[in-house]
Amino acid sequence: MSAPDRLIEATQELLWERGYVGTSPKAIQQRAGAGQGSMYHHFSGKPGLALAAITRTAEEMRRTAGRLLDGPGSAYERIAAYLLRERDVLRGCPVGRLTMDPDVVADDALRAPVDATLDWLRGRIAAIVQEGVDTGEFTAGTDPGPVAAAVVATAQGGYALARASGSAAAFDSAVEGLLSLLAARTNQI
């Protein structure tokens, strides 16, 4: 792995674990096994490196979600696959956790990939719900936008519940509840 890739990967992990303020250049360099010269040769500083890391994290989330949401199955099955996928619930969402970081949220450049990714996710899920409405899988009158927002909010809120309780069961319960509500809107399940 190249020095820039090691630096970005180390920053991704540290942002997920510690947030922006807790992610020092020295910690990044130590985790990446790279020197200060290498870091500043490839990046303008911590903000530039953080932006590269946040952008990569967002792209990875889109790829992971996209594989499930664009996979086989009915609209309900694809949404369920996204919600039920294996994940490290107690660590939280690497993108969603950034929304709670005041330094990321206060910086337009750092916040932009986070917002764009969550917006993409809501849009992709809304499109799937609309497909389900169009094919008659979901009952007429099902509004894709609010359903998509509820799916994303359930996942993100499920992470918060799980972290607060120290148990993945809280996440699983939230997902189970949402899927029950969503199943009630189907004509086939």
Side-chain angles (χ1 to χ4, degrees), residues 41-56:
H41 172 74
H42 296 291
F43 301 96
S44 59
K46 179 180 168 181
L49 181 52
L51 179 58
I54 291 169
T55 299
R56 184 174 291 175

Side-chain angles (χ1 to χ4, degrees), residues 66-78:
R67 278 193 301 270
L68 297 164
L69 295 171
D70 296 334
S74 68
Y76 176 89
E77 290 167 340
R78 289 182 287 157

Side-chain angles (χ1 to χ4, degrees), residues 104-161:
V104 171
V105 173
D107 185 305
D108 290 342
L110 295 177
R111 187 181 66 248
V114 173
D115 183 40
T117 298
L118 294 173
D119 188 52
W120 171 85
L121 185 58
R122 284 189 310 272
R124 185 65 197 103
I125 293 169
I128 292 169
V129 173
Q130 186 62 57
E131 289 173 29
V133 171
D134 292 345
T135 63
E137 177 184 352
F138 290 122
T139 57
T142 300
D143 191 342
V147 170
V151 170
V152 175
T154 297
Q156 294 303 317
Y159 284 122
L161 293 172

